[in-house]
């Protein structure tokens, strides 16, 4: 069977950054930062992103490109002992289940983005009631918008790597960056913005040892870089053999953390600007409000306060958010789809149809039991499953995969790698330091 491939390293970086940059950066990161004391969270997040998430990303990319297979087959094939092969397959299945569960809640939040995108248009044409319905929390609205979003994701995945994933990432990612920067420039001119900046950029170090903050920052870093579910491994399997992997990995890491940082620069100051405009941003207990609705409350207020252009800016913002969500959700759906196509000989079309329907059924279950399931699924997948599976992937890269095979893999696209700092540090790092640190953080999170 002909496997798909990214046509150049540049398009790979765009697609991998497209997967990494999504609701996690613009919805998840600022919400988490607001809930966890602003700057302290930002600092811990940056430390963990470069110290743990980048090496773990490299493990996925290297294993993926070497094996040219989905995670189940990849981890099985680098192992020689039966027990390790079995553990590899189990890890692959766990990644697939996690990817599906993530997509089930991701599609709900992305549906809200679609709703907020359509609202200004509906209101503009005089359909006020429809506009209100699109943005007010409700089970029917959640399910309908989620179904639209899943449909969009399925259509792109059905089109395959070059025509689907690659084409859309290349078009859409740069526009997101430009709009974000323009919005930051605007918000920083408004009254109240400096209070938000202070909150975001001046850390309170006493908070940084809080176990909850560390676990949240770890979860955020792994979620944001799309790790621990096999996405980056499968994207690595589509990359050309002459690409320089450590460089590609660092570009993706920089793009991802950069956009999260920028999103914080928009949303936290926007909260304080909104406060000036009469929105309550502190909860009853005196802490900043966070929660899933944060940006849906704060940003529209900001857009309205812009006057006439606010309508256009709000529309553009939510269009781009929806796009960022699609370039991530396609990478999530690709995980089970590539497995079904490669291991069960299903056609891409059938696999996409069945799997997206099954994941949509999970989303409906969450919508129907929102209070009980929504936060629980997010915490289970992002704070526990992703770091744990990443830890296993690092263990595979460090202990099971032969050092020589790794070196040969890295030499393609970078013949001098043997003398580089990356090669001196990374193998030891991924073997001992990454798994140990992830283990300690998870353990302390469980204890406290
Ligand atoms: N990284 C994406 C985001 O920040 O929105 C979410 C995500 C995509 C997580 C793909 C995991 C994944 F495999």
């Amino acid at each position: 069977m002909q496997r798909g491939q990214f046509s150049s390293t540049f398009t790979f970086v765009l697609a991998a950054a497209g997967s990494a940059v999504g609701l996690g950066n613009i919805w998840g990161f600022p919400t988490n930062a607001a809930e966890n004391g602003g700057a302290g969270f930002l600092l811990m997040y940056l430390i963990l992103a470069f110290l743990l998430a980048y090496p773990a990303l490299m493990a996925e990319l290297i294993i993926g490109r070497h094996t040219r297979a989905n995670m189940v087959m990849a981890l099985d094939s680098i192992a020689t002992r039966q027990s390790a092969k079995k553990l590899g397959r189990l890890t692959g299945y766990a990644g697939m289940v996690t990817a599906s569960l993530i997509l089930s809640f991701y599609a709900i939040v992305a549906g809200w983005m679609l709703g907020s995108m359509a609202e200004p248009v509906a209101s503009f044409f005089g359909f006020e009631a429809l506009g209100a319905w699109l943005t007010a929390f409700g089970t029917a609205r959640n399910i309908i918008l989620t179904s639209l979003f899943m449909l969009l994701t399925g259509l792109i995945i059905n089109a395959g790597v070059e025509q689907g994933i690659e084409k859309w990432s290349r078009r859409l990612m740069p526009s997101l960056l430009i709009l974000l920067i323009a919005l930051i420039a605007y918000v920083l001119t408004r009254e109240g913005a400096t209070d938000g900046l202070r909150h975001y950029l001046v850390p309170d170090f006493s908070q940084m040892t809080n176990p909850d903050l560390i676990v949240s920052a770890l979860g955020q870093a792994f979620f944001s870089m799309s790790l621990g579910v096999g996405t980056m491994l499968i994207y690595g399997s589509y990359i050309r053999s002459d690409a320089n992997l450590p460089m590609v990995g660092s570009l993706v890491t920089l793009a991802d953390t950069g956009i999260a940082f920028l999103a914080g620069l928009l949303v936290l100051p926007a909260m304080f600007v909104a406060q000036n405009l009469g929105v309550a941003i502190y909860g009853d207990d005196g802490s900043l409000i966070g929660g899933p609705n944060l940006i849906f409350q704060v940003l529209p207020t900001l857009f309205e306060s812009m006057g006439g252009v606010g309508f256009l800016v709000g529309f553009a913002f939510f269009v781009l958010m929806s796009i960022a969500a699609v370039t991530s959700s396609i990478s999530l759906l690709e995980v089970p789809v590539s497995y079904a196509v490669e291991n069960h000989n299903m056609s891409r079309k059938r696999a996409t149809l069945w799997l997206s329907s099954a994941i949509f059924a999970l989303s409906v279950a969450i919508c129907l039991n929102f209070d009980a399931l929504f936060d629980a699924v997010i915490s289970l997948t992002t704070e526990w499953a992703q770091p744990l599976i990443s830890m296993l992937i690092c263990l595979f890269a460090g202990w099971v995969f032969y050092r020589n095979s790794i070196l040969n893999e890295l030499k393609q696209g970078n013949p001098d790698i043997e003398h580089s700092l990356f090669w001196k540090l990374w193998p030891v790092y991924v073997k001992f330091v990454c798994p140990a640190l992830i283990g300690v953080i998870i353990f302390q999170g469980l204890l406290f």
Side-chain angles (χ1 to χ4, degrees), residues 19-20 22-25 102 106 223-224 226 229 231 328 331-332 386:
S19 163
L23 300 177
N25 303 62
I102 291 180
Y106 205 80
F223 179 69
S224 192
S226 308
V229 297
T231 286
S328 298
S331 73
L332 281 161
Q386 284 192 279

Side-chain angles (χ1 to χ4, degrees), residues 45-260:
Y45 166 77
L46 290 176
I47 293 173
L48 294 177
F50 286 95
L51 225 62
L52 287 181
Y54 170 67
L57 169 67
M58 288 311 301
E60 288 203 29
L61 292 181
I62 294 171
I63 295 178
R65 195 177 68 176
H66 180 77
T67 55
R68 299 254 179 232
N70 61 73
M71 180 143 100
V72 176
M73 272 159 68
L75 295 184
D76 173 304
S77 71
I78 58 171
T80 41
R81 273 201 266 137
Q82 276 314 315
S83 52
K85 278 182 171 298
K86 202 164 173 185
L87 180 64
R89 285 197 300 274
L90 272 178
T91 310
Y93 291 129
M96 229 153 51
V97 172
T98 307
S100 308
L101 282 172
I102 291 180
L103 185 51
S104 70
F105 78 75
Y106 205 80
I108 299 175
V109 182
W112 297 341
M113 298 288 167
L114 291 181
S116 296
M117 175 182 98
E119 188 273 337
V121 182
S123 304
F124 183 79
F125 288 106
F127 299 107
E128 304 285 341
L130 176 64
W133 181 82
L134 283 166
T135 46
F137 191 90
T139 306
R141 165 259 197 182
N142 287 351
I143 293 178
I144 292 172
L145 292 175
T146 304
S147 70
L148 284 179
F149 182 78
M150 280 304 290
L151 192 68
L152 209 64
T153 303
L155 286 176
I156 297 183
I157 277 297
N158 187 37
V161 175
E162 292 90 350
Q163 284 307 310
I165 302 177
E166 179 174 309
K167 195 160 147 189
W168 286 94
S169 309
R170 192 173 49 213
R171 286 186 184 163
L172 306 173
M173 294 311 295
S175 350
L176 180 70
L177 182 64
I178 294 168
L179 185 72
L180 206 53
I181 292 175
L183 280 176
I184 294 169
Y186 172 76
V187 87
L188 291 183
T189 63
R190 302 293 305 266
E191 200 164 327
T194 36
D195 292 334
L197 270 188
R198 198 168 310 123
H199 191 77
Y200 184 46
L201 298 177
V202 184
D204 170 0
F205 289 103
S206 64
Q207 287 223 10
M208 284 182 64
T209 45
N210 177 352
D212 279 347
L213 180 148
I214 301 176
V215 172
S216 300
L218 180 75
Q220 179 62 39
F222 279 78
F223 179 69
S224 192
M225 300 241 294
S226 308
L227 298 176
V229 297
T231 286
M232 287 300 181
L233 196 150
I234 191 80
Y235 271 28
S237 79
Y238 297 142
I239 199 174
R240 291 156 56 117
S241 29
D242 57 0
N244 177 343
L245 287 182
M247 196 217 27
V248 160
S250 41
L251 284 178
V252 174
T253 310
L254 281 174
D256 186 56
T257 43
I259 299 247

